[in-house]
Amino acid sequence: MEDNIYWLFEAQKSSEFTNLLQLVSETEIDGELKFTPSISRELGRLLVCRAYAPTLLELSHLVVMAQQCSPTQPDALERFFWDSGPARPNVFRAYIEKQLKLEALHSGGFSLSNDAVCIKHQDIDFCITYSRMPLLSALMEFLVTSLGYRILDDVLQLLSSQPLSKKLISDTANQLSRLLYDFLKSHLPTVQTQKNFNHLIGFLKSTYPRGFDQNSINDDLLLNFWKESSDQVSENNGDFKTFSSVYQRFVQLYRSLEHVGALRNLTFATSIGNDRDAGEIDPGDLLEHVEQIESSGDLLDTLQSPPAESIKFLNNREHSRLDRLIKSGHIASKLPLSLLRSEVFEPQRTRLTQALRDKVDKKRITMLIEEGPEEDYNSRFVLFEKDKSHIEQVRYASLYVLLQAEHHSAIELALALNPDLDLHHLNTDNNPAPDALLSSFFKMATKDSKVETDLSKLADTAYRAFKKIARKGFHDDEISQTDIIDGFAVGSDVLNNLKSQIDTFLQTASQKSLPNGDWTSQFSGDRQIFAKQFHKLYVEAERSQTSENSP
Amino acid sequence: MSHWHEWSPHEQKLAEAIYSALDGFTNLGAAQDPTQRRIDFTTLFRCVTHPEEPFPAALQKQLTQDPKLREDFHHLLKKCSSYHIPRAAAASSGDLTERTVDQFRIRLRPSRVESDQLYILIELPDETTDSPSTLFLYDTQGGCLKQALPAPQEREIQLLMNVDNPLVLGLKDHNTEIFLR
């Protein structure tokens, strides 16, 4: 019986591919994530777009280098990829420099520079930068997880058992490519995804028979779609069962329609390509499109990747609370009510499914439904405002660090914090050199300046903000370290973007014309709608399923 | 702004491809149930190559359930081990008291002092320069035991164990393989 009502508990069945990708992204080593979130996402893009062939060729070259790191050890390759530490450029560099013996360097044709390792041997002439190695390592992790170690090792051993040549490396990469293609063919949920896409388009067509574009996607449409489609679990694999998954998929659809629509507007022809070209989409092109779309969603990932990851700009709760809003990008402001519905009702939905898993009685389930969510829309706005204030404080604190380090990013950040900043004091010559201006800027931007200027006041505010924060990276003994300063430089830019996005969202939401008038009334109305739908999905459906299974 | 029905088949296909790609990794970041999580290869490799790393119970369970994982683990053990004693010949009968391969032997010798204890003695070949730090006992069903080894004394590693210790019982069993690293 449990198998039959599996769908009642689970929002959707994750594909094997998603599970494997998740496994890779959650792998830890030495107490931290082996791969940064941005590397995991980059791997995901590479695989779903099937644009991995060139990267497999790079990986095959890296395997050759890895085998040379400890040429007498049978597990040299494994040590490189699974025992060198977290997959970071500086970690790989340190490992290679330590392991690679001079003898191997000269005889094997290897050379090291600050940025890369190069092989020049027979007809091979190839370099791999250290910054590329984390992605290659992530791809290797996916290969071993999906294909299996035995199969992978059998292929890679050819690189150490035969005379090295360009052809051998290329053949190895091709073999890996074939194996990966076969795996993805049967594990990427292409058919189901296509069905879902058609379902979404079909709904738009029936709602807007005269035609639609991405701007036809609005809050009412999402709610209607969810009410209609959420219980058709067997048809759509449960992919539309929860409101948050509906929101997510409509954001994806919005992005894809917007992107292709923009391309149409750029090209003067009426279509991209022509009908005769209506064959497969080139993987490299697809990856490029997806990367362009994804770049706006990577803000939070950037804070969790080097160099910003060494500073606790946001704690886990803040990160989690802002995740959906930031990943939605500008679309959050197009669908503010849907975003809030996802944020506020999803935790209640999670509690319901957990209760069902725990086999809680129907009376209790009904009570959980009637109780409603733990927060409402107004309290969520309060939390977003709190996050915004925190980000503002962290921006000022970052300015203090960058001013202390006399880092050029301080200027941009200062102007972002105060666009009307009066800098006329800087220009004491008719034709000042850039260096002189910079020097003057940092001289004046101190809290202890004898002359009070906008800059000195800003520096004072920055200092006070810094002193109030007791998180990692915000201590006096840390802020002179190069990696910390770099982290603040990268992080401050992200924070500027985060603040801007949150501001836009809050402003749009405050001006939104709501079906029920104001946000308080809207929440009351939505509570009833969601209660009715949850009852349908989690009480009535289970009741009918149970009676079907009764002898 | 153009409408969907005005787009060419290729443009519509591109939109679908982009949607599918975005959907492919859309749930990245959602926490998985830790009890259902597969063992990642990094953990597997560290378990085999680092003597101080414990043998996770989750790995033990998954080895007995997943034939592919068993194959991979066995391959890794073979590759990373310095010495390997295969399963005993089918002709042997009764419990084994000695396991031998070309280079060395493992003996089980009862303790003279305690009747419920015995010694596991691992005799290293004369030419050995590196003493193994870990012993793995592996059976055909995926059951595996990991035992850290002390430093040898005069080319012999000694372990004192109870007679019903799983390692002792496993060493006596014909169907187990031994890997030393």
Side-chain angles (χ1 to χ4, degrees):
Chain A
M1 176 168 155
E2 280 219 12
D3 285 343
N4 290 342
I5 61 169
Y6 165 85
W7 64 270
L8 267 178
F9 301 154
E10 302 298 334
Q12 67 192 76
K13 210 167 176 175
S14 287
S15 67
E16 172 74 359
F17 169 78
T18 308
N19 288 338
L20 290 178
L21 201 55
Q22 188 70 19
L23 183 67
V24 169
S25 74
E26 287 179 351
T27 298
E28 287 190 5
I29 191 166
D30 299 336
E32 59 182 291
L33 282 178
K34 187 173 176 183
F35 308 106
T36 62
S38 59
I39 287 292
S40 294
R41 285 187 82 81
E42 198 177 342
L43 174 69
R45 285 196 290 266
L46 203 69
L47 294 170
V48 299
C49 296
R50 299 175 199 251
Y52 43 75
T55 316
L56 281 171
L57 183 62
E58 287 182 85
L59 178 60
S60 301
H61 282 89
L62 185 59
V63 166
V64 170
M65 292 177 192
Q67 285 167 341
Q68 288 302 313
C69 278
S70 313
T72 57
Q73 300 285 340
D75 58 354
L77 180 68
E78 287 81 357
R79 286 169 190 242
F80 180 88
F81 284 103
W82 290 288
D83 209 17
S84 55
R88 309 284 187 275
N90 59 321
V91 171
F92 282 116
R93 183 180 161 181
Y95 184 87
I96 290 169
E97 284 175 355
K98 187 182 163 191
Q99 298 290 328
L100 209 56
K101 298 184 191 317
L102 278 172
E103 290 79 13
L105 262 177
H106 292 307
S107 63
F110 290 94
S111 61
L112 307 183
S113 69
N114 280 337
D115 305 314
V117 181
C118 297
I119 317 173
K120 210 158 180 163
H121 175 78
Q122 305 284 3
D123 59 348
I124 305 167
D125 188 356
F126 204 91
C127 288
I128 302 176
T129 59
Y130 296 114
S131 61
R132 196 76 182 136
M133 289 183 191
L135 177 64
L136 301 180
S137 177
L139 180 55
M140 178 66 101
E141 192 85 25
F142 187 84
L143 288 173
V144 83
T145 309
S146 57
L147 305 180
Y149 171 62
R150 172 73 188 262
I151 292 171
L152 183 64
D153 193 44
D154 284 349
V155 172
L156 296 177
Q157 281 310 306
L158 295 171
L159 288 170
S160 56
S161 60
Q162 296 182 27
L164 212 50
S165 70
K166 196 170 165 180
K167 184 176 180 311
L168 177 65
I169 297 177
S170 174
D171 286 349
T172 304
N174 287 339
Q175 201 171 348
L176 290 174
S177 189
R178 277 192 294 274
L179 287 168
L180 188 52
Y181 179 85
D182 287 341
F183 175 84
L184 290 174
K185 200 165 122 185
S186 51
H187 288 84
L188 271 176
T190 317
V191 170
Q192 186 59 49
T193 310
Q194 195 175 40
K195 266 177 87 174
N196 288 346
F197 179 82
N198 291 335
H199 191 142
L200 294 169
I201 294 292
F203 191 82
L204 278 160
K205 277 180 184 168
S206 62
T207 309
Y208 302 103
R210 288 190 185 178
F212 64 88
D213 58 30
Q214 70 272 12
N215 293 313
S216 310
I217 298 171
N218 57 45
D219 291 316
D220 286 343
L221 182 95
L222 260 72
L223 188 65
N224 291 337
F225 180 89
W226 180 58
K227 281 155 75 176
E228 187 182 292
S229 307
S230 52
D231 57 351
Q232 296 167 13
V233 173
S234 52
E235 290 91 340
N236 57 49
N237 194 47
D239 289 341
F240 301 132
K241 186 155 187 224
T242 70
F243 187 83
S244 60
S245 65
V246 165
Y247 171 80
Q248 184 180 284
R249 286 184 162 88
F250 268 103
V251 167
Q252 282 162 206
L253 181 64
Y254 191 111
R255 284 197 200 283
S256 64
L257 295 178
E258 183 184 50
H259 186 79
V260 177
L263 287 174
R264 273 189 117 248
N265 291 339
L266 279 174
T267 62
F268 294 107
T270 53
S271 65
I272 298 161
N274 55 45
D275 287 350
R276 284 177 298 177
D277 289 340
E280 291 299 318
I281 307 293
D282 176 74
D285 289 346
L286 179 59
L287 180 63
E288 225 176 278
H289 292 304
V290 170
E291 280 172 347
Q292 282 170 21
I293 292 168
E294 275 268 289
S295 60
S296 61
D298 277 350
L299 289 178
L300 292 176
D301 288 348
T302 304
L303 290 184
Q304 294 184 311
S305 303
E309 66 175 344
S310 45
I311 301 150
K312 196 91 173 173
F313 289 108
L314 299 174
N315 62 28
N316 290 341
R317 210 161 7 164
E318 288 154 354
H319 191 285
S320 171
R321 203 155 51 219
L322 292 171
D323 191 61
R324 190 177 274 118
L325 193 163
I326 301 303
K327 283 205 163 77
S328 301
H330 66 286
I331 302 168
S333 299
K334 307 277 184 189
L335 303 169
L337 179 51
S338 297
L339 184 137
L340 282 165
R341 281 168 172 158
S342 299
E343 290 290 312
V344 166
F345 288 98
E346 177 63 11
Q348 185 193 11
R349 198 273 313 164
T350 307
R351 281 198 301 282
L352 279 172
T353 52
Q354 185 57 53
L356 283 165
R357 265 192 221 104
D358 295 340
K359 297 188 171 69
V360 164
D361 63 57
K362 274 190 233 7
K363 200 174 163 189
R364 176 74 188 134
I365 299 291
T366 306
M367 266 177 64
L368 282 172
I369 293 173
E370 297 306 320
E371 270 172 16
E374 287 178 343
E375 59 173 333
D376 60 21
Y377 297 151
N378 285 322
S379 54
R380 179 47 71 116
F381 281 129
V382 167
L383 288 172
F384 280 146
E385 288 285 355
K386 190 178 160 196
D387 292 333
K388 193 181 113 176
S389 296
H390 168 71
I391 287 171
E392 194 69 348
Q393 189 182 24
V394 172
R395 287 168 84 210
Y396 276 101
S398 303
L399 178 63
Y400 172 73
V401 175
L402 294 171
L403 285 173
Q404 293 297 108
E406 296 193 356
H407 195 284
H408 61 85
S409 298
I411 301 170
E412 193 182 324
L413 180 55
L415 288 168
L417 285 165
N418 186 353
D420 300 323
L421 198 61
D422 182 4
L423 296 175
H424 82 273
H425 297 285
L426 296 180
N427 189 0
T428 54
D429 292 332
N430 283 334
N431 195 15
D435 283 350
L437 275 176
L438 261 179
S439 177
S440 183
F441 175 88
F442 288 117
K443 204 170 163 186
M444 301 195 86
T446 65
K447 59 181 179 57
D448 303 319
S449 174
K450 291 191 173 72
V451 177
E452 192 179 75
T453 59
D454 277 0
L455 256 179
S456 67
K457 282 192 272 190
L458 188 59
D460 185 53
T461 308
Y463 172 71
R464 289 172 199 279
F466 177 81
K467 282 300 180 190
K468 279 187 186 155
I469 300 176
R471 297 183 180 189
K472 184 177 141 202
F474 291 87
H475 301 111
D476 287 313
D477 57 352
E478 289 176 292
I479 63 172
S480 56
Q481 297 166 29
T482 313
D483 57 334
I484 295 286
I485 295 166
D486 289 343
F488 273 104
V490 167
S492 63
D493 190 47
V494 170
L495 293 171
N496 288 342
N497 281 305
L498 287 181
K499 185 197 176 279
S500 172
Q501 264 193 258
I502 299 171
D503 269 342
T504 305
F505 172 76
L506 290 173
Q507 199 174 358
T508 314
S510 70
Q511 293 164 359
K512 167 97 181 157
S513 172
L514 296 165
N516 290 34
D518 58 53
W519 284 102
T520 306
S521 307
Q522 188 62 48
F523 175 71
S524 298
D526 284 353
R527 228 185 111 162
Q528 289 178 38
I529 293 171
F530 274 76
K532 188 176 170 187
Q533 197 66 10
F534 285 157
H535 201 266
K536 190 176 163 192
L537 291 170
Y538 300 114
V539 178
E540 292 170 27
E542 199 231 351
R543 191 180 290 144
S544 69
Q545 187 70 39
T546 309
S547 63
E548 266 179 44
N549 292 326
S550 298
Chain B
M1 191 90 58
S2 60
H3 288 164
W4 172 264
H5 64 269
E6 293 166 328
W7 291 10
S8 70
H10 185 73
E11 288 161 343
Q12 291 183 353
K13 192 154 187 166
L14 178 60
E16 185 193 323
I18 291 171
Y19 170 87
S20 296
L22 293 174
D23 201 56
F25 54 93
T26 212
N27 286 316
L28 208 57
Q32 278 192 338
D33 178 357
T35 63
Q36 300 299 318
R37 200 172 171 279
R38 278 172 59 172
I39 293 288
D40 57 81
F41 192 79
T42 299
T43 302
L44 204 70
F45 184 74
R46 286 251 164 135
C47 174
V48 169
T49 57
H50 289 227
E52 75 285 1
E53 288 281 334
F55 200 93
L59 173 57
Q60 189 65 266
K61 187 180 172 190
Q62 287 179 27
L63 278 172
T64 57
Q65 293 170 344
D66 186 344
K68 194 177 170 201
L69 180 63
R70 273 205 295 282
E71 185 186 24
D72 284 352
F73 185 67
H74 188 261
H75 189 75
L76 186 61
L77 276 177
K78 274 184 93 169
K79 194 170 181 191
C80 296
S81 297
S82 312
Y83 310 108
H84 170 226
I85 301 181
R87 290 198 292 277
S92 319
S93 59
D95 287 343
L96 297 166
T97 56
E98 189 174 293
R99 307 286 293 265
T100 311
V101 83
D102 298 329
Q103 295 130 325
F104 62 94
R105 63 178 181 166
I106 301 176
R107 289 187 297 129
L108 301 172
R109 195 189 75 196
S111 165
R112 289 192 192 103
V113 177
E114 298 286 344
S115 59
D116 59 350
Q117 286 187 326
L118 56 67
Y119 286 96
I120 299 172
L121 303 166
I122 304 172
E123 295 173 10
L124 307 180
D126 292 336
E127 66 270 23
T128 301
T129 51
D130 291 327
S131 172
S133 58
T134 320
L135 180 150
F136 289 92
L137 201 63
Y138 186 80
D139 69 37
T140 51
Q141 308 306 312
C144 186
L145 289 173
K146 176 180 177 180
Q147 175 68 48
L149 300 175
Q153 294 193 5
E154 293 179 17
R155 295 257 177 248
E156 188 176 79
I157 296 170
Q158 287 188 12
L159 293 163
L160 179 63
M161 295 208 159
N162 287 338
V163 295
D164 57 357
N165 185 291
L167 183 65
V168 171
L169 298 175
L171 285 169
K172 289 180 177 179
D173 186 345
H174 293 253
N175 288 315
T176 57
E177 293 175 74
I178 302 167
F179 296 90
L180 286 167
R181 179 183 156 80

